[in-house]
Amino acid sequence: MQQIDPMETTRAYAWEMWMNAPMPMVTFFKTLDVTRVLRMSRRHGLKFNMLICWCIGRAASQVREFYTLPVDGRLMKYDSLAVNTIVANSMGEVSSCDVPYNDSLVDFSADYDRLTRQVAESCENHDLTESMVIGTSALVDYDIDGAVGMYSGMFNNPFMIWGRYKRRLFRTQFTVSFQFHHTQMDGAHAARFLDLLQNEISVLRINF
């Protein structure tokens, strides 16, 4: 992670326009067809949420804007990505767990299982401060049509929320909200990311 001069990047105009805006976050909604992920999850005994998180990381890794983020009034450039997941811990509460993104689904799955188990047992968050983290919250027990994340002014990371998946004839879908800081990316970048995410979900292959 290193600080860079925003005026020497493609985000110069966005930095001037949105960095000091009182509400710089934008939220998109998209309904995703997750039929293949559910099928692969059941066939191979893998966690559905883990597979979704890996697809998120894989899609984000193809959009360069994900590798920069405004932090404490500075524009930071990252060499790696991570996907955050919320874990039910042993105290009956929730803890936060950052899982490093890896192109290898095998390695990502192993890290996901190890780290979420560690966080659940210890009740201590696992934070990866050297990676650009994509936040997620899966409300899988509830039917929701969408959610807009709270902007605290402290964290500018992109964030995704979804609820229980729904069956539509022979397809399975859920609606995801994607919140992002306008300084980090524009609407076209966010829309491209969501299209890439649907593609990664649709072509998911599992080779263990």
Side-chain angles (χ1 to χ4, degrees):
M1 180 177 66
Q2 62 177 331
Q3 182 178 352
I4 58 176
D5 183 352
M7 305 315 293
E8 296 181 358
T9 73
T10 58
R11 304 309 299 156
Y13 177 76
W15 180 271
E16 291 186 327
M17 288 294 295
W18 303 106
M19 192 57 210
N20 295 316
M23 180 53 195
M25 310 302 284
V26 181
T27 302
F28 281 7
F29 293 90
K30 186 177 180 67
T31 298
L32 298 173
D33 184 334
V34 295
T35 307
R36 185 167 183 80
V37 174
L38 182 59
R39 186 180 302 137
M40 294 294 102
S41 171
R42 291 175 173 174
R43 181 178 299 170
H44 297 277
L46 297 170
K47 293 183 176 68
F48 176 85
N49 192 68
M50 181 278 294
L51 292 173
I52 293 293
C53 286
W54 184 76
C55 289
I56 288 171
R58 189 165 175 82
S61 70
Q62 301 171 58
V63 180
R64 68 177 181 179
E65 284 72 20
F66 274 91
Y67 288 90
T68 59
L69 185 73
V71 179
D72 296 329
R74 302 172 296 167
L75 188 63
M76 307 303 294
K77 183 178 180 180
Y78 296 83
D79 295 323
S80 61
L81 301 177
V83 182
N84 171 272
T85 187
I86 303 301
V87 179
N89 64 37
S90 59
M91 297 294 291
E93 302 296 333
V94 295
S95 298
S96 173
C97 180
D98 294 345
V99 182
Y101 170 68
N102 193 310
D103 283 337
S104 166
L105 176 55
V106 174
D107 292 341
F108 182 85
S109 178
D111 285 340
Y112 183 98
D113 288 343
R114 174 178 57 84
L115 292 172
T116 53
R117 187 183 310 111
Q118 171 186 307
V119 167
E121 293 172 354
S122 68
C123 302
E124 295 181 0
N125 296 338
H126 180 264
D127 300 321
L128 293 174
T129 57
E130 295 301 312
S131 296
M132 205 300 296
V133 180
I134 305 163
T136 74
S137 181
L139 305 171
V140 296
D141 293 326
Y142 305 97
D143 291 323
I144 60 172
D145 293 323
V148 177
M150 176 189 73
Y151 175 58
S152 65
M154 297 172 59
F155 301 105
N156 297 327
N157 300 64
F159 197 85
M160 305 188 74
I161 304 173
W162 61 87
R164 177 187 294 159
Y165 54 72
K166 303 174 183 178
R167 297 188 182 280
R168 307 291 191 198
L169 294 178
F170 301 107
R171 313 307 296 174
T172 303
Q173 300 174 331
F174 63 50
T175 299
V176 63
S177 69
F178 175 52
Q179 177 178 274
F180 58 95
H181 196 291
H182 211 331
T183 299
Q184 182 182 25
M185 67 183 76
D186 296 325
H189 303 125
R192 176 170 175 256
F193 160 68
L194 292 172
D195 281 350
L196 287 167
L197 175 56
Q198 178 62 81
N199 182 68
E200 293 298 336
I201 287 172
S202 299
V203 301
L204 179 65
R205 298 286 188 277
I206 297 177
N207 298 308
F208 283 101

